[in-house]
Amino acid sequence: MTQDVQLHDKVFELYLSEGYIQERVKDIAEGINRDFSGKDPVFVSILNGSFLFAADLIRYLNFQCQIEFVKAASYEAMQSTGEVKTLIGFNQAVEGRPIVIIEDIIDTGRTIKQLMNDLTKYNPESVHVATLTLKREALIESFDPDYVGFEVPNVFIVGYGLDYDQLGRNLKGIYKLKDQ
Ligand code: 5GP
Ligand code: MG
């Protein structure tokens, strides 16, 4: 049985299964439960890509929490445009509270650095980062997110929130471009 999917003109093959992703999401939630329970953090989910990761992650948390959804798109099709738009839609009282950013993927690291910088202006106590995937090889300057689901090589991936030209977000697993 083939596990390939076609999106637009490209074929993708299964890379990380649904079960494996859920295990890692639970591991990250355990870490966050341990580190942030009782600290009243605000979670900031970066749209669109992190919506499924954020939805699953917060359901594994064992304390009451607030979540905000912000937009910061910078990627067109399969290439980074290099320019990062600043965040829109941020509306929480975070002064003196920890922020935990929920991201789908960190590639060059430009987006996350910009977001952390933008959020710092709201005077939070701290800004931490939980990312489902990290392309360490693609980082333009070194960066260590606090929680990482998977380190992935420099290949294009889709699924579980990540898209290829707006398709593929609803796939339960993560797929990589075939023959890359
Ligand atoms: P960065 O600013 O770190 O270079 O790029 C981060 C953004 O690029 C992510 O939020 C995501 O939108 C996009 N991106 C980077 N690599 C991939 C990938 O392999 N697949 C998909 N679908 N998007 C990616
Ligand atoms: Mg993103």
Side-chain angles (χ1 to χ4, degrees), residues 74-75 80 84 103-112 135 155-158 162-164:
S74 72
Y75 226 69
S80 180
V84 180
E103 251 299 23
D104 51 355
I105 188 162
I106 296 174
D107 183 20
T108 63
R110 278 195 205 101
T111 307
I112 195 70
K135 292 185 181 171
V155 294
F156 189 78
I157 56 177
V158 294
L162 289 156
D163 72 307
Y164 168 47

mmCIF file with all atom_site columns, all heavy atoms in Angstrom, residues 74-75 80 84 103-112 135 155-158 162-164, ligand 1:
data_model
loop_
_atom_site.group_PDB
_atom_site.id
_atom_site.type_symbol
_atom_site.label_atom_id
_atom_site.label_alt_id
_atom_site.label_comp_id
_atom_site.label_asym_id
_atom_site.label_entity_id
_atom_site.label_seq_id
_atom_site.pdbx_PDB_ins_code
_atom_site.Cartn_x
_atom_site.Cartn_y
_atom_site.Cartn_z
_atom_site.occupancy
_atom_site.B_iso_or_equiv
_atom_site.pdbx_formal_charge
_atom_site.auth_seq_id
_atom_site.auth_comp_id
_atom_site.auth_asym_id
_atom_site.auth_atom_id
_atom_site.pdbx_PDB_model_num
ATOM   1   N N   . SER A 1 74  ? 5.562  34.212 6.083  1.00 0.00 ? 74  SER A N   1
ATOM   2   C CA  . SER A 1 74  ? 6.698  34.772 5.342  1.00 0.00 ? 74  SER A CA  1
ATOM   3   C C   . SER A 1 74  ? 7.107  33.884 4.185  1.00 0.00 ? 74  SER A C   1
ATOM   4   O O   . SER A 1 74  ? 8.075  34.155 3.490  1.00 0.00 ? 74  SER A O   1
ATOM   5   C CB  . SER A 1 74  ? 7.907  34.927 6.258  1.00 0.00 ? 74  SER A CB  1
ATOM   6   O OG  . SER A 1 74  ? 8.440  33.662 6.538  1.00 0.00 ? 74  SER A OG  1
ATOM   7   N N   . TYR A 1 75  ? 6.390  32.797 3.980  1.00 0.00 ? 75  TYR A N   1
ATOM   8   C CA  . TYR A 1 75  ? 6.846  31.776 3.049  1.00 0.00 ? 75  TYR A CA  1
ATOM   9   C C   . TYR A 1 75  ? 5.907  31.716 1.870  1.00 0.00 ? 75  TYR A C   1
ATOM   10  O O   . TYR A 1 75  ? 4.706  31.697 2.031  1.00 0.00 ? 75  TYR A O   1
ATOM   11  C CB  . TYR A 1 75  ? 6.796  30.431 3.769  1.00 0.00 ? 75  TYR A CB  1
ATOM   12  C CG  . TYR A 1 75  ? 8.019  29.580 3.594  1.00 0.00 ? 75  TYR A CG  1
ATOM   13  C CD1 . TYR A 1 75  ? 9.225  29.943 4.172  1.00 0.00 ? 75  TYR A CD1 1
ATOM   14  C CD2 . TYR A 1 75  ? 7.969  28.410 2.864  1.00 0.00 ? 75  TYR A CD2 1
ATOM   15  C CE1 . TYR A 1 75  ? 10.344 29.159 4.044  1.00 0.00 ? 75  TYR A CE1 1
ATOM   16  C CE2 . TYR A 1 75  ? 9.084  27.615 2.726  1.00 0.00 ? 75  TYR A CE2 1
ATOM   17  C CZ  . TYR A 1 75  ? 10.273 27.993 3.319  1.00 0.00 ? 75  TYR A CZ  1
ATOM   18  O OH  . TYR A 1 75  ? 11.377 27.199 3.188  1.00 0.00 ? 75  TYR A OH  1
ATOM   19  N N   . SER A 1 80  ? 11.562 30.405 0.998  1.00 0.00 ? 80  SER A N   1
ATOM   20  C CA  . SER A 1 80  ? 11.405 31.517 1.914  1.00 0.00 ? 80  SER A CA  1
ATOM   21  C C   . SER A 1 80  ? 11.577 32.813 1.128  1.00 0.00 ? 80  SER A C   1
ATOM   22  O O   . SER A 1 80  ? 12.473 32.933 0.323  1.00 0.00 ? 80  SER A O   1
ATOM   23  C CB  . SER A 1 80  ? 12.455 31.439 3.017  1.00 0.00 ? 80  SER A CB  1
ATOM   24  O OG  . SER A 1 80  ? 12.293 32.518 3.886  1.00 0.00 ? 80  SER A OG  1
ATOM   25  N N   . VAL A 1 84  ? 10.149 38.851 6.665  1.00 0.00 ? 84  VAL A N   1
ATOM   26  C CA  . VAL A 1 84  ? 9.261  38.335 7.695  1.00 0.00 ? 84  VAL A CA  1
ATOM   27  C C   . VAL A 1 84  ? 8.261  39.409 8.055  1.00 0.00 ? 84  VAL A C   1
ATOM   28  O O   . VAL A 1 84  ? 8.636  40.521 8.388  1.00 0.00 ? 84  VAL A O   1
ATOM   29  C CB  . VAL A 1 84  ? 10.063 37.930 8.945  1.00 0.00 ? 84  VAL A CB  1
ATOM   30  C CG1 . VAL A 1 84  ? 9.142  37.398 10.008 1.00 0.00 ? 84  VAL A CG1 1
ATOM   31  C CG2 . VAL A 1 84  ? 11.111 36.898 8.589  1.00 0.00 ? 84  VAL A CG2 1
ATOM   32  N N   . GLU A 1 103 ? 5.135  26.917 17.527 1.00 0.00 ? 103 GLU A N   1
ATOM   33  C CA  . GLU A 1 103 ? 5.467  27.005 16.097 1.00 0.00 ? 103 GLU A CA  1
ATOM   34  C C   . GLU A 1 103 ? 5.403  25.631 15.441 1.00 0.00 ? 103 GLU A C   1
ATOM   35  O O   . GLU A 1 103 ? 5.607  24.608 16.099 1.00 0.00 ? 103 GLU A O   1
ATOM   36  C CB  . GLU A 1 103 ? 6.886  27.564 15.936 1.00 0.00 ? 103 GLU A CB  1
ATOM   37  C CG  . GLU A 1 103 ? 6.978  28.964 15.391 1.00 0.00 ? 103 GLU A CG  1
ATOM   38  C CD  . GLU A 1 103 ? 6.407  29.191 13.992 1.00 0.00 ? 103 GLU A CD  1
ATOM   39  O OE1 . GLU A 1 103 ? 5.550  28.437 13.513 1.00 0.00 ? 103 GLU A OE1 1
ATOM   40  O OE2 . GLU A 1 103 ? 6.848  30.168 13.374 1.00 0.00 ? 103 GLU A OE2 1
ATOM   41  N N   . ASP A 1 104 ? 5.161  25.634 14.144 1.00 0.00 ? 104 ASP A N   1
ATOM   42  C CA  . ASP A 1 104 ? 5.153  24.376 13.399 1.00 0.00 ? 104 ASP A CA  1
ATOM   43  C C   . ASP A 1 104 ? 6.557  23.983 12.966 1.00 0.00 ? 104 ASP A C   1
ATOM   44  O O   . ASP A 1 104 ? 6.945  22.822 13.042 1.00 0.00 ? 104 ASP A O   1
ATOM   45  C CB  . ASP A 1 104 ? 4.230  24.469 12.175 1.00 0.00 ? 104 ASP A CB  1
ATOM   46  C CG  . ASP A 1 104 ? 4.504  25.696 11.310 1.00 0.00 ? 104 ASP A CG  1
ATOM   47  O OD1 . ASP A 1 104 ? 5.349  26.544 11.690 1.00 0.00 ? 104 ASP A OD1 1
ATOM   48  O OD2 . ASP A 1 104 ? 3.873  25.822 10.251 1.00 0.00 ? 104 ASP A OD2 1
ATOM   49  N N   . ILE A 1 105 ? 7.313  24.978 12.491 1.00 0.00 ? 105 ILE A N   1
ATOM   50  C CA  . ILE A 1 105 ? 8.633  24.658 11.935 1.00 0.00 ? 105 ILE A CA  1
ATOM   51  C C   . ILE A 1 105 ? 9.550  25.867 12.046 1.00 0.00 ? 105 ILE A C   1
ATOM   52  O O   . ILE A 1 105 ? 9.109  26.996 11.880 1.00 0.00 ? 105 ILE A O   1
ATOM   53  C CB  . ILE A 1 105 ? 8.497  24.176 10.470 1.00 0.00 ? 105 ILE A CB  1
ATOM   54  C CG1 . ILE A 1 105 ? 9.816  23.641 9.923  1.00 0.00 ? 105 ILE A CG1 1
ATOM   55  C CG2 . ILE A 1 105 ? 7.925  25.248 9.551  1.00 0.00 ? 105 ILE A CG2 1
ATOM   56  C CD1 . ILE A 1 105 ? 9.647  22.765 8.684  1.00 0.00 ? 105 ILE A CD1 1
ATOM   57  N N   . ILE A 1 106 ? 10.802 25.594 12.362 1.00 0.00 ? 106 ILE A N   1
ATOM   58  C CA  . ILE A 1 106 ? 11.822 26.648 12.311 1.00 0.00 ? 106 ILE A CA  1
ATOM   59  C C   . ILE A 1 106 ? 12.813 26.241 11.240 1.00 0.00 ? 106 ILE A C   1
ATOM   60  O O   . ILE A 1 106 ? 13.388 25.149 11.291 1.00 0.00 ? 106 ILE A O   1
ATOM   61  C CB  . ILE A 1 106 ? 12.502 26.832 13.683 1.00 0.00 ? 106 ILE A CB  1
ATOM   62  C CG1 . ILE A 1 106 ? 11.467 27.314 14.714 1.00 0.00 ? 106 ILE A CG1 1
ATOM   63  C CG2 . ILE A 1 106 ? 13.659 27.834 13.571 1.00 0.00 ? 106 ILE A CG2 1
ATOM   64  C CD1 . ILE A 1 106 ? 11.988 27.395 16.138 1.00 0.00 ? 106 ILE A CD1 1
ATOM   65  N N   . ASP A 1 107 ? 12.966 27.114 10.255 1.00 0.00 ? 107 ASP A N   1
ATOM   66  C CA  . ASP A 1 107 ? 13.808 26.830 9.085  1.00 0.00 ? 107 ASP A CA  1
ATOM   67  C C   . ASP A 1 107 ? 15.070 27.691 9.193  1.00 0.00 ? 107 ASP A C   1
ATOM   68  O O   . ASP A 1 107 ? 16.033 27.299 9.847  1.00 0.00 ? 107 ASP A O   1
ATOM   69  C CB  . ASP A 1 107 ? 12.951 27.108 7.844  1.00 0.00 ? 107 ASP A CB  1
ATOM   70  C CG  . ASP A 1 107 ? 13.633 26.797 6.528  1.00 0.00 ? 107 ASP A CG  1
ATOM   71  O OD1 . ASP A 1 107 ? 14.600 26.022 6.521  1.00 0.00 ? 107 ASP A OD1 1
ATOM   72  O OD2 . ASP A 1 107 ? 13.201 27.329 5.493  1.00 0.00 ? 107 ASP A OD2 1
ATOM   73  N N   . THR A 1 108 ? 15.055 28.888 8.604  1.00 0.00 ? 108 THR A N   1
ATOM   74  C CA  . THR A 1 108 ? 16.230 29.751 8.761  1.00 0.00 ? 108 THR A CA  1
ATOM   75  C C   . THR A 1 108 ? 16.295 30.357 10.168 1.00 0.00 ? 108 THR A C   1
ATOM   76  O O   . THR A 1 108 ? 17.351 30.785 10.613 1.00 0.00 ? 108 THR A O   1
ATOM   77  C CB  . THR A 1 108 ? 16.195 30.928 7.761  1.00 0.00 ? 108 THR A CB  1
ATOM   78  O OG1 . THR A 1 108 ? 15.045 31.732 8.044  1.00 0.00 ? 108 THR A OG1 1
ATOM   79  C CG2 . THR A 1 108 ? 16.130 30.430 6.333  1.00 0.00 ? 108 THR A CG2 1
ATOM   80  N N   . GLY A 1 109 ? 15.140 30.408 10.837 1.00 0.00 ? 109 GLY A N   1
ATOM   81  C CA  . GLY A 1 109 ? 15.069 31.009 12.165 1.00 0.00 ? 109 GLY A CA  1
ATOM   82  C C   . GLY A 1 109 ? 14.680 32.481 12.140 1.00 0.00 ? 109 GLY A C   1
ATOM   83  O O   . GLY A 1 109 ? 14.479 33.085 13.191 1.00 0.00 ? 109 GLY A O   1
ATOM   84  N N   . ARG A 1 110 ? 14.529 33.039 10.939 1.00 0.00 ? 110 ARG A N   1
ATOM   85  C CA  . ARG A 1 110 ? 14.193 34.470 10.836 1.00 0.00 ? 110 ARG A CA  1
ATOM   86  C C   . ARG A 1 110 ? 12.854 34.793 11.486 1.00 0.00 ? 110 ARG A C   1
ATOM   87  O O   . ARG A 1 110 ? 12.725 35.761 12.231 1.00 0.00 ? 110 ARG A O   1
ATOM   88  C CB  . ARG A 1 110 ? 14.105 34.896 9.364  1.00 0.00 ? 110 ARG A CB  1
ATOM   89  C CG  . ARG A 1 110 ? 15.430 35.199 8.737  1.00 0.00 ? 110 ARG A CG  1
ATOM   90  C CD  . ARG A 1 110 ? 15.202 35.960 7.420  1.00 0.00 ? 110 ARG A CD  1
ATOM   91  N NE  . ARG A 1 110 ? 16.325 35.749 6.542  1.00 0.00 ? 110 ARG A NE  1
ATOM   92  C CZ  . ARG A 1 110 ? 16.337 34.894 5.524  1.00 0.00 ? 110 ARG A CZ  1
ATOM   93  N NH1 . ARG A 1 110 ? 15.272 34.182 5.240  1.00 0.00 ? 110 ARG A NH1 1
ATOM   94  N NH2 . ARG A 1 110 ? 17.411 34.750 4.793  1.00 0.00 ? 110 ARG A NH2 1
ATOM   95  N N   . THR A 1 111 ? 11.836 33.974 11.171 1.00 0.00 ? 111 THR A N   1
ATOM   96  C CA  . THR A 1 111 ? 10.488 34.245 11.678 1.00 0.00 ? 111 THR A CA  1
ATOM   97  C C   . THR A 1 111 ? 10.473 34.217 13.201 1.00 0.00 ? 111 THR A C   1
ATOM   98  O O   . THR A 1 111 ? 9.949  35.134 13.841 1.00 0.00 ? 111 THR A O   1
ATOM   99  C CB  . THR A 1 111 ? 9.487  33.198 11.142 1.00 0.00 ? 111 THR A CB  1
ATOM   100 O OG1 . THR A 1 111 ? 9.600  33.145 9.726  1.00 0.00 ? 111 THR A OG1 1
ATOM   101 C CG2 . THR A 1 111 ? 8.060  33.532 11.528 1.00 0.00 ? 111 THR A CG2 1
ATOM   102 N N   . ILE A 1 112 ? 11.052 33.200 13.783 1.00 0.00 ? 112 ILE A N   1
ATOM   103 C CA  . ILE A 1 112 ? 10.973 33.051 15.241 1.00 0.00 ? 112 ILE A CA  1
ATOM   104 C C   . ILE A 1 112 ? 11.742 34.167 15.952 1.00 0.00 ? 112 ILE A C   1
ATOM   105 O O   . ILE A 1 112 ? 11.292 34.709 16.959 1.00 0.00 ? 112 ILE A O   1
ATOM   106 C CB  . ILE A 1 112 ? 11.421 31.637 15.701 1.00 0.00 ? 112 ILE A CB  1
ATOM   107 C CG1 . ILE A 1 112 ? 10.989 31.364 17.132 1.00 0.00 ? 112 ILE A CG1 1
ATOM   108 C CG2 . ILE A 1 112 ? 12.911 31.406 15.557 1.00 0.00 ? 112 ILE A CG2 1
ATOM   109 C CD1 . ILE A 1 112 ? 9.524  31.185 17.312 1.00 0.00 ? 112 ILE A CD1 1
ATOM   110 N N   . LYS A 1 135 ? 14.696 22.602 11.504 1.00 0.00 ? 135 LYS A N   1
ATOM   111 C CA  . LYS A 1 135 ? 15.717 22.272 10.486 1.00 0.00 ? 135 LYS A CA  1
ATOM   112 C C   . LYS A 1 135 ? 17.022 22.922 10.939 1.00 0.00 ? 135 LYS A C   1
ATOM   113 O O   . LYS A 1 135 ? 17.344 24.036 10.530 1.00 0.00 ? 135 LYS A O   1
ATOM   114 C CB  . LYS A 1 135 ? 15.300 22.841 9.126  1.00 0.00 ? 135 LYS A CB  1
ATOM   115 C CG  . LYS A 1 135 ? 14.098 22.179 8.509  1.00 0.00 ? 135 LYS A CG  1
ATOM   116 C CD  . LYS A 1 135 ? 13.861 22.744 7.120  1.00 0.00 ? 135 LYS A CD  1
ATOM   117 C CE  . LYS A 1 135 ? 12.651 22.143 6.467  1.00 0.00 ? 135 LYS A CE  1
ATOM   118 N NZ  . LYS A 1 135 ? 12.299 22.829 5.209  1.00 0.00 ? 135 LYS A NZ  1
ATOM   119 N N   . VAL A 1 155 ? 14.736 19.290 4.073  1.00 0.00 ? 155 VAL A N   1
ATOM   120 C CA  . VAL A 1 155 ? 13.823 18.839 3.016  1.00 0.00 ? 155 VAL A CA  1
ATOM   121 C C   . VAL A 1 155 ? 12.487 19.543 3.227  1.00 0.00 ? 155 VAL A C   1
ATOM   122 O O   . VAL A 1 155 ? 12.197 20.008 4.320  1.00 0.00 ? 155 VAL A O   1
ATOM   123 C CB  . VAL A 1 155 ? 13.600 17.304 3.051  1.00 0.00 ? 155 VAL A CB  1
ATOM   124 C CG1 . VAL A 1 155 ? 14.886 16.570 2.724  1.00 0.00 ? 155 VAL A CG1 1
ATOM   125 C CG2 . VAL A 1 155 ? 13.042 16.849 4.392  1.00 0.00 ? 155 VAL A CG2 1
ATOM   126 N N   . PHE A 1 156 ? 11.684 19.601 2.163  1.00 0.00 ? 156 PHE A N   1
ATOM   127 C CA  . PHE A 1 156 ? 10.390 20.272 2.277  1.00 0.00 ? 156 PHE A CA  1
ATOM   128 C C   . PHE A 1 156 ? 9.344  19.292 2.800  1.00 0.00 ? 156 PHE A C   1
ATOM   129 O O   . PHE A 1 156 ? 9.146  18.223 2.234  1.00 0.00 ? 156 PHE A O   1
ATOM   130 C CB  . PHE A 1 156 ? 9.963  20.843 0.925  1.00 0.00 ? 156 PHE A CB  1
ATOM   131 C CG  . PHE A 1 156 ? 8.756  21.727 1.039  1.00 0.00 ? 156 PHE A CG  1
ATOM   132 C CD1 . PHE A 1 156 ? 8.875  23.027 1.514  1.00 0.00 ? 156 PHE A CD1 1
ATOM   133 C CD2 . PHE A 1 156 ? 7.498  21.251 0.691  1.00 0.00 ? 156 PHE A CD2 1
ATOM   134 C CE1 . PHE A 1 156 ? 7.757  23.844 1.652  1.00 0.00 ? 156 PHE A CE1 1
ATOM   135 C CE2 . PHE A 1 156 ? 6.370  22.061 0.824  1.00 0.00 ? 156 PHE A CE2 1
ATOM   136 C CZ  . PHE A 1 156 ? 6.504  23.354 1.302  1.00 0.00 ? 156 PHE A CZ  1
ATOM   137 N N   . ILE A 1 157 ? 8.679  19.660 3.891  1.00 0.00 ? 157 ILE A N   1
ATOM   138 C CA  . ILE A 1 157 ? 7.683  18.769 4.499  1.00 0.00 ? 157 ILE A CA  1
ATOM   139 C C   . ILE A 1 157 ? 6.295  19.415 4.527  1.00 0.00 ? 157 ILE A C   1
ATOM   140 O O   . ILE A 1 157 ? 6.171  20.648 4.545  1.00 0.00 ? 157 ILE A O   1
ATOM   141 C CB  . ILE A 1 157 ? 8.103  18.326 5.925  1.00 0.00 ? 157 ILE A CB  1
ATOM   142 C CG1 . ILE A 1 157 ? 8.362  19.541 6.838  1.00 0.00 ? 157 ILE A CG1 1
ATOM   143 C CG2 . ILE A 1 157 ? 9.327  17.426 5.863  1.00 0.00 ? 157 ILE A CG2 1
ATOM   144 C CD1 . ILE A 1 157 ? 8.706  19.162 8.282  1.00 0.00 ? 157 ILE A CD1 1
ATOM   145 N N   . VAL A 1 158 ? 5.296  18.554 4.531  1.00 0.00 ? 158 VAL A N   1
ATOM   146 C CA  . VAL A 1 158 ? 3.894  19.009 4.592  1.00 0.00 ? 158 VAL A CA  1
ATOM   147 C C   . VAL A 1 158 ? 3.122  18.101 5.547  1.00 0.00 ? 158 VAL A C   1
ATOM   148 O O   . VAL A 1 158 ? 3.562  17.005 5.870  1.00 0.00 ? 158 VAL A O   1
ATOM   149 C CB  . VAL A 1 158 ? 3.181  18.959 3.219  1.00 0.00 ? 158 VAL A CB  1
ATOM   150 C CG1 . VAL A 1 158 ? 3.780  19.938 2.243  1.00 0.00 ? 158 VAL A CG1 1
ATOM   151 C CG2 . VAL A 1 158 ? 3.167  17.547 2.647  1.00 0.00 ? 158 VAL A CG2 1
ATOM   152 N N   . LEU A 1 162 ? 1.180  21.853 8.247  1.00 0.00 ? 162 LEU A N   1
ATOM   153 C CA  . LEU A 1 162 ? 2.085  22.444 7.243  1.00 0.00 ? 162 LEU A CA  1
ATOM   154 C C   . LEU A 1 162 ? 1.522  22.248 5.838  1.00 0.00 ? 162 LEU A C   1
ATOM   155 O O   . LEU A 1 162 ? 1.003  21.180 5.505  1.00 0.00 ? 162 LEU A O   1
ATOM   156 C CB  . LEU A 1 162 ? 3.453  21.768 7.322  1.00 0.00 ? 162 LEU A CB  1
ATOM   157 C CG  . LEU A 1 162 ? 4.293  22.103 8.548  1.00 0.00 ? 162 LEU A CG  1
ATOM   158 C CD1 . LEU A 1 162 ? 5.307  20.991 8.823  1.00 0.00 ? 162 LEU A CD1 1
ATOM   159 C CD2 . LEU A 1 162 ? 5.011  23.426 8.348  1.00 0.00 ? 162 LEU A CD2 1
ATOM   160 N N   . ASP A 1 163 ? 1.677  23.264 5.007  1.00 0.00 ? 163 ASP A N   1
ATOM   161 C CA  . ASP A 1 163 ? 1.076  23.213 3.668  1.00 0.00 ? 163 ASP A CA  1
ATOM   162 C C   . ASP A 1 163 ? 2.096  23.284 2.549  1.00 0.00 ? 163 ASP A C   1
ATOM   163 O O   . ASP A 1 163 ? 3.240  23.710 2.742  1.00 0.00 ? 163 ASP A O   1
ATOM   164 C CB  . ASP A 1 163 ? 0.123  24.401 3.476  1.00 0.00 ? 163 ASP A CB  1
ATOM   165 C CG  . ASP A 1 163 ? 0.883  25.718 3.314  1.00 0.00 ? 163 ASP A CG  1
ATOM   166 O OD1 . ASP A 1 163 ? 1.731  26.015 4.183  1.00 0.00 ? 163 ASP A OD1 1
ATOM   167 O OD2 . ASP A 1 163 ? 0.668  26.423 2.310  1.00 0.00 ? 163 ASP A OD2 1
ATOM   168 N N   . TYR A 1 164 ? 1.644  22.861 1.380  1.00 0.00 ? 164 TYR A N   1
ATOM   169 C CA  . TYR A 1 164 ? 2.322  23.195 0.135  1.00 0.00 ? 164 TYR A CA  1
ATOM   170 C C   . TYR A 1 164 ? 1.300  23.971 -0.678 1.00 0.00 ? 164 TYR A C   1
ATOM   171 O O   . TYR A 1 164 ? 0.289  23.407 -1.099 1.00 0.00 ? 164 TYR A O   1
ATOM   172 C CB  . TYR A 1 164 ? 2.779  21.937 -0.610 1.00 0.00 ? 164 TYR A CB  1
ATOM   173 C CG  . TYR A 1 164 ? 3.218  22.211 -2.038 1.00 0.00 ? 164 TYR A CG  1
ATOM   174 C CD1 . TYR A 1 164 ? 4.078  23.273 -2.329 1.00 0.00 ? 164 TYR A CD1 1
ATOM   175 C CD2 . TYR A 1 164 ? 2.764  21.428 -3.088 1.00 0.00 ? 164 TYR A CD2 1
ATOM   176 C CE1 . TYR A 1 164 ? 4.464  23.536 -3.628 1.00 0.00 ? 164 TYR A CE1 1
ATOM   177 C CE2 . TYR A 1 164 ? 3.156  21.688 -4.399 1.00 0.00 ? 164 TYR A CE2 1
ATOM   178 C CZ  . TYR A 1 164 ? 4.005  22.757 -4.659 1.00 0.00 ? 164 TYR A CZ  1
ATOM   179 O OH  . TYR A 1 164 ? 4.381  23.026 -5.944 1.00 0.00 ? 164 TYR A OH  1
HETATM 180 P P1  . 5GP B 2 .   ? 12.022 30.674 8.759  1.00 0.00 ? 1   5GP B P1  1
HETATM 181 O O1  . 5GP B 2 .   ? 11.701 32.109 9.018  1.00 0.00 ? 1   5GP B O1  1
HETATM 182 O O2  . 5GP B 2 .   ? 12.485 29.927 9.986  1.00 0.00 ? 1   5GP B O2  1
HETATM 183 O O3  . 5GP B 2 .   ? 12.974 30.502 7.613  1.00 0.00 ? 1   5GP B O3  1
HETATM 184 O O4  . 5GP B 2 .   ? 10.728 30.016 8.177  1.00 0.00 ? 1   5GP B O4  1
HETATM 185 C C1  . 5GP B 2 .   ? 9.713  29.586 8.942  1.00 0.00 ? 1   5GP B C1  1
HETATM 186 C C2  . 5GP B 2 .   ? 8.463  29.410 8.107  1.00 0.00 ? 1   5GP B C2  1
HETATM 187 O O5  . 5GP B 2 .   ? 8.780  28.878 6.803  1.00 0.00 ? 1   5GP B O5  1
HETATM 188 C C3  . 5GP B 2 .   ? 7.559  28.402 8.718  1.00 0.00 ? 1   5GP B C3  1
HETATM 189 O O6  . 5GP B 2 .   ? 6.684  28.990 9.653  1.00 0.00 ? 1   5GP B O6  1
HETATM 190 C C4  . 5GP B 2 .   ? 6.847  27.812 7.516  1.00 0.00 ? 1   5GP B C4  1
HETATM 191 O O7  . 5GP B 2 .   ? 5.736  28.603 7.198  1.00 0.00 ? 1   5GP B O7  1
HETATM 192 C C5  . 5GP B 2 .   ? 7.854  27.909 6.402  1.00 0.00 ? 1   5GP B C5  1
HETATM 193 N N1  . 5GP B 2 .   ? 8.585  26.646 6.133  1.00 0.00 ? 1   5GP B N1  1
HETATM 194 C C6  . 5GP B 2 .   ? 9.901  26.407 6.295  1.00 0.00 ? 1   5GP B C6  1
HETATM 195 N N2  . 5GP B 2 .   ? 10.244 25.156 5.956  1.00 0.00 ? 1   5GP B N2  1
HETATM 196 C C7  . 5GP B 2 .   ? 9.097  24.558 5.550  1.00 0.00 ? 1   5GP B C7  1
HETATM 197 C C8  . 5GP B 2 .   ? 8.776  23.232 5.103  1.00 0.00 ? 1   5GP B C8  1
HETATM 198 O O8  . 5GP B 2 .   ? 9.605  22.311 4.982  1.00 0.00 ? 1   5GP B O8  1
HETATM 199 N N3  . 5GP B 2 .   ? 7.473  23.008 4.796  1.00 0.00 ? 1   5GP B N3  1
HETATM 200 C C9  . 5GP B 2 .   ? 6.511  23.959 4.912  1.00 0.00 ? 1   5GP B C9  1
HETATM 201 N N4  . 5GP B 2 .   ? 5.267  23.614 4.580  1.00 0.00 ? 1   5GP B N4  1
HETATM 202 N N5  . 5GP B 2 .   ? 6.767  25.225 5.336  1.00 0.00 ? 1   5GP B N5  1
HETATM 203 C C10 . 5GP B 2 .   ? 8.038  25.515 5.672  1.00 0.00 ? 1   5GP B C10 1
#
